[in-house]
Amino acid sequence: MNTLIKTLAVTTALMGGFATSALAQTVLKFSHTDNPGGSRQAAAEVFAEKVKEYTEGRYEVRIFPAGQLANDPKAIEQLQLGGVDFTVSATGSYATHLTSLNLTAMPFLVDTYEQGWEFYDNSEWLKGEFAKLPEVGFRVLSTWEAGFRSYTTKDPLTSPADAVGKKMRVFPNDMIRWTMEAVGFQTVVMPITDVYLAIQQGTVDGQENPVDTIKSLRFYEVAPYITLTRHVYSPLPLTVSEKTWQSFSDADKEAFRKAAADSSAFSRDLVKNSVNAQLEEMTAAGAKVSTPEIGPFRDAVASVYDKARDVYGAEAVDKVLADAAKIREMMPAK
């Protein structure tokens, strides 16, 4: 009798386990390279919470920060393979798979956050380019904020003349590389996860990223001169693996779109309103923050537009420049 009871108990436990498994959440992987205290992590947490809410707990978005799963280029490759379900990275990072996206990194396209949001949300050219991404294995759900790219260097950077002979880390993006070389830097391509140590060891003399990234990854500790050129607007498209996307029902797709929109609004508000406090905090920690005369930097990079026309075609480049000019006119900086 005892044997029968034990057998029934084991059978019941196994069946209960199968039932629990059948009802378990679908776990989705979200990879990014920001540190746990950064704005990307905060927005990723909002996205995960909203996904859980809007799908009534049927999906769990599990977040892997600080490059735990992959650096930016590798995470995007994993999107294509279905090894990662979501990632968020600078638009130029995706250009390896759709080269026209390099044009979003042309220097000095927009002057304010609001202009940048209008460009990313409503530019007809950019909408058309994003619509091509599912063909290469992933799609854009929304755009998060990172801000405008500026420099952190080991020595002062008051004008392009100070860049001559200095090594600047860049990510694998032609437009950023051309811009840095036009300013006067020698460029070194490396993953962002390697940059802190590379500056510390003298492999490079500095890097360029938005203030939020500079603060989160503590680049100011090894390159204390923060020069606010704001030379490229650099937001972060949130992307989903197309394989993952096609596994969702129509109702679930709408839930993920809604969660992505909520996280975008959160990210934009957080980053825009955190910049001054972040600069103050870094200054208190020993960073030296300055805003140079921008004219010489603008003049130095003027050749980049012609180089872009040669490589990507005048029609595409002029379309992007026209969209940006129209937005700047419609929404002038105050």
Side-chain angles (χ1 to χ4, degrees):
M1 185 68 175
N2 287 342
T3 302
L4 178 59
I5 291 172
K6 288 180 181 178
T7 302
L8 287 171
V10 170
T11 302
T12 300
L14 287 171
M15 290 179 67
F18 293 144
T20 300
S21 178
L23 295 173
Q25 294 171 317
T26 299
V27 176
L28 301 172
K29 295 179 181 178
F30 190 141
S31 173
H32 69 79
T33 54
D34 199 13
N35 277 341
S39 69
R40 265 176 268 189
Q41 176 67 15
E45 290 171 0
V46 169
F47 179 67
E49 290 167 6
K50 293 298 183 180
V51 165
K52 183 178 180 181
E53 176 184 343
Y54 295 148
T55 65
E56 298 178 334
R58 288 180 291 104
Y59 288 91
E60 176 192 348
V61 175
R62 193 165 294 170
I63 306 163
F64 296 87
Q68 289 178 26
L69 295 184
N71 60 34
D72 289 312
K74 292 297 183 183
I76 294 167
E77 289 177 10
Q78 285 298 309
L79 283 183
Q80 295 174 297
L81 299 171
V84 163
D85 300 291
F86 302 97
T87 196
V88 62
S89 187
T91 315
S93 298
Y94 300 101
T96 302
H97 307 283
L98 182 63
T99 56
S100 58
L101 291 180
N102 275 321
L103 297 179
T104 63
M106 285 192 290
F108 299 108
L109 282 181
V110 297
D111 302 318
T112 68
Y113 286 100
E114 290 78 10
Q115 290 174 3
W117 300 341
E118 180 68 19
F119 181 77
Y120 268 77
D121 292 346
N122 295 313
S123 163
E124 291 301 322
W125 173 82
L126 189 55
K127 285 181 181 179
E129 299 312 295
F130 280 170
K132 299 173 184 177
L133 290 174
E135 298 174 12
V136 297
F138 51 91
R139 67 173 60 216
V140 174
L141 291 179
S142 69
T143 304
W144 292 2
E145 190 56 83
F148 290 83
R149 303 182 80 88
S150 289
Y151 297 102
T152 47
T153 52
K154 298 177 80 169
D155 299 305
L157 180 65
T158 59
S159 74
D162 293 327
V164 177
K166 301 294 176 61
K167 294 179 181 178
M168 174 62 55
R169 174 267 175 181
V170 296
F171 67 98
N173 178 272
D174 284 344
M175 201 65 62
I176 295 293
R177 180 171 56 82
W178 296 342
T179 298
M180 295 304 102
E181 291 171 354
V183 170
F185 290 107
Q186 299 174 29
T187 55
V188 179
V189 177
M190 69 175 63
I192 197 168
T193 46
D194 297 344
V195 174
Y196 187 101
L197 187 60
I199 296 173
Q200 193 173 47
Q201 294 180 339
T203 306
V204 294
D205 299 297
Q207 63 84 51
E208 49 85 52
N209 255 300
V211 168
D212 183 75
T213 304
I214 293 168
K215 170 68 169 57
S216 173
L217 299 183
R218 308 193 320 277
F219 291 139
Y220 63 93
E221 294 178 351
V222 288
Y225 290 92
I226 302 174
T227 307
L228 300 175
T229 49
R230 294 164 54 95
H231 49 271
V232 172
Y233 178 60
S234 186
L236 306 165
L238 166 64
T239 48
V240 58
S241 165
E242 188 64 12
K243 289 183 178 180
T244 303
W245 185 253
Q246 293 304 330
S247 73
F248 297 152
S249 67
D250 288 346
D252 285 341
K253 287 177 181 177
E254 184 56 32
F256 278 92
R257 287 191 191 98
K258 191 176 177 183
D262 288 350
S263 61
S264 173
F266 171 86
S267 173
R268 287 175 171 180
D269 181 70
L270 175 64
V271 172
K272 179 188 175 185
N273 293 313
S274 296
V275 170
N276 290 340
Q278 290 172 331
L279 290 172
E280 289 174 3
E281 189 173 340
M282 289 188 285
T283 299
K288 300 168 180 62
V289 179
S290 64
T291 301
E293 183 182 349
I294 298 300
F297 287 92
R298 286 184 182 270
D299 293 343
V301 302
S303 62
V304 173
Y305 305 118
D306 289 331
K307 194 162 188 174
R309 289 185 180 96
D310 290 340
V311 173
Y312 297 99
E315 183 178 355
V317 172
D318 291 342
K319 175 61 176 154
V320 175
L321 293 176
D323 279 1
K326 182 178 178 181
I327 290 167
R328 291 197 306 273
E329 182 179 355
M330 180 177 66
M331 308 173 66
K334 296 179 181 179

